[in-house]
Amino acid sequence: MYGLALCGICRRPRVADKSFATSTCPYCNASEKTKDLIFYFESPDQDIVRQALSQATGFVPPDMVQKKRRIEEADPYSTMVYQYEHCSDLDEKLTILAEGLTRINGSFTLDDIREIVGDKAEKYVSAMLDRCIAAEVRIGVYKA
Ligand SMILES: [Zn+2]
């Protein structure tokens, strides 16, 4: 039998397997005796309990929360490239690259741009300079 219960420590709802004597909270790692938990939904089918949980709370399993967080924090570089690729306006593309690379690396070079845009790199960098999106701080080194 599976049940939907609130963690006694962090108060988050979670699914517990009632066939075990204790159940460990996936959020705060607190281990509680299953018989002490208050169940407000029960079913022999774990999937049904999980569904009840997600409907009741907009519940996202902790491993998914972590995965999401990982993607967001992970990689400002990929995030920037993604934004660049999904942007159609040239001015905006130039700004995303110049500001993104400056934020990530402190400055950028033609090669950094080339890695993302390929052959258009020189055109992009001179357009950045023309439009005052970036400035050349040292020879060949640019900053937004
Ligand atoms: Zn907990």
Side-chain angles (χ1 to χ4, degrees), residues 16-89:
D17 184 343
K18 296 186 78 180
S19 62
F20 289 108
T22 58
S23 144
T24 303
C25 174
Y27 299 103
C28 68
N29 260 328
S31 181
E32 293 175 281
K33 290 198 175 81
T34 314
K35 70 174 170 56
D36 292 340
L37 290 168
I38 297 158
F39 291 96
Y40 52 95
F41 183 86
E42 287 178 28
S43 167
D45 185 341
Q46 188 180 17
D47 283 341
I48 289 174
V49 179
R50 282 185 182 282
Q51 273 170 31
L53 179 59
S54 57
Q55 278 165 22
T57 61
F59 172 80
V60 183
D63 54 330
M64 280 179 64
V65 174
Q66 270 173 15
K67 226 174 273 165
K68 212 173 142 206
R69 199 178 302 137
R70 218 172 298 140
I71 291 165
E72 279 162 8
E73 279 169 14
D75 202 355
Y77 185 83
S78 322
T79 309
M80 176 192 70
V81 172
Y82 179 87
Q83 283 174 335
Y84 160 79
E85 282 168 354
H86 289 79
C87 166
S88 51
D89 182 75

Side-chain angles (χ1 to χ4, degrees), residues 76-81 83-84 87 90-109 112-113 116-117 124-125 127-129 131-135 142-144:
Y77 185 83
S78 322
T79 309
M80 176 192 70
V81 172
Q83 283 174 335
Y84 160 79
C87 166
L90 181 63
D91 269 11
E92 249 174 77
K93 277 180 186 287
L94 296 174
T95 308
I96 289 168
L97 292 178
E99 287 183 352
L101 286 168
T102 303
R103 198 165 50 237
I104 296 163
N105 299 330
S107 61
F108 61 92
T109 64
D112 293 331
I113 301 290
I116 302 165
V117 307
Y124 269 40
V125 170
M128 283 174 190
L129 298 176
R131 293 166 206 220
C132 298
I133 291 170
Y142 307 93
K143 244 177 156 159

Side-chain angles (χ1 to χ4, degrees), residues 7-12 14 25-30 32:
C7 172
I9 309 299
C10 70
R11 313 302 299 166
R12 297 201 215 201
R14 59 189 170 89
C25 174
Y27 299 103
C28 68
N29 260 328
E32 293 175 281

